[in-house]
Amino acid sequence: MSTSCPSADRTFDFNHPFPFDTPLLTSRFGEVSIQRNHFDYILSDNVLEHIQDLITAMTNCIELLEVGGILEVMVPHDLSYGAWQDPTHVRAFNERSWLYYTDWCWYVGWTDHRFDLIEQIYNITEYGTELMQQYKDITKVARYPRAVDTLHVKLRKRATTAEEKLQYQAFNSGA
């Protein structure tokens, strides 16, 4: 998604692979080239729900981040009003939406790096607050429509271990 933003030096469509090592002209910094592992932090505030090719977008993020770098994400919860009221939303998220970028990273083709989920905060509605008094368990409350408004997630990039790489190779080879 590439929209004009007056304060942005450059905009990129994260539905497509990031143009690493390509000279890019910016108004403030002139010609720059962004390398892999360049950033220590990326903020995605209500962006991912608009992206058609989420695997490519997440791959761009993990390649842009240095090992130990943080991807902080805010997205609408799948059972919230905000998930589908916006006609430009192409997806919604829940607490399991991150599994393919963490525990199951081999499924999206990642073998050298993955994310670890380090924080997941449920922003609950007034109705969700009432349900929390009854159930005292956010995992139960999150299953009620309109109880959770948004998810606030922090993912940390890390290198995969030798053992994980062997498991990924076995899966990818069909063994």
Side-chain angles (χ1 to χ4, degrees):
M1 157 161 239
S2 180
T3 59
S4 179
C5 179
S7 63
D9 292 304
R10 282 297 293 241
T11 59
F12 299 94
D13 184 346
F14 266 41
N15 286 295
H16 303 288
F18 192 84
F20 290 103
D21 307 316
T22 303
L24 304 166
L25 187 60
T26 68
S27 58
R28 287 192 304 166
F29 304 108
E31 190 174 284
V32 298
S33 179
I34 298 174
Q35 313 298 313
R36 283 175 172 76
N37 308 306
H38 185 80
F39 296 99
D40 62 359
Y41 177 78
I42 296 173
L43 174 63
S44 173
D45 186 350
N46 288 285
V47 173
L48 296 181
E49 64 272 18
H50 298 274
I51 295 178
Q52 291 283 339
D53 188 346
L54 189 59
I55 292 172
T56 297
M58 292 296 287
T59 299
N60 286 335
C61 289
I62 204 162
E63 289 181 347
L64 283 163
L65 284 169
E66 64 186 22
V67 171
I70 301 294
L71 172 60
E72 185 171 357
V73 175
M74 279 79 80
V75 290
H77 188 262
D78 65 349
L79 298 177
S80 71
Y81 281 123
W84 297 112
Q85 74 185 16
D86 184 336
T88 66
H89 287 185
V90 296
R91 73 184 72 255
F93 295 83
N94 63 41
E95 56 279 1
R96 296 182 55 86
S97 295
W98 317 108
L99 283 173
Y100 287 87
Y101 310 105
T102 59
D103 301 14
W104 303 341
C105 64
W106 42 265
Y107 194 84
V108 296
W110 299 355
T111 56
D112 294 328
H113 297 95
R114 60 171 274 185
F115 283 117
D116 286 329
L117 178 64
I118 59 171
E119 184 176 58
Q120 182 164 253
I121 299 170
Y122 297 81
N123 297 310
I124 60 176
T125 62
E126 186 176 322
Y127 174 57
T129 301
E130 293 172 17
L131 290 171
M132 280 298 291
Q133 292 172 0
Q134 179 181 353
Y135 292 108
K136 307 205 182 335
D137 181 351
I138 190 61
T139 60
K140 289 181 182 172
V141 171
R143 298 298 60 184
Y144 281 82
R146 317 305 179 249
V148 175
D149 192 34
T150 60
L151 291 175
H152 183 165
V153 175
K154 288 185 183 175
L155 302 163
R156 178 181 292 126
K157 178 182 176 176
R158 75 163 168 87
T160 54
T161 65
E163 182 180 316
E164 287 171 326
K165 287 182 185 187
L166 287 173
Q167 291 172 346
Y168 303 157
Q169 289 171 355
F171 173 81
N172 289 330
S173 69

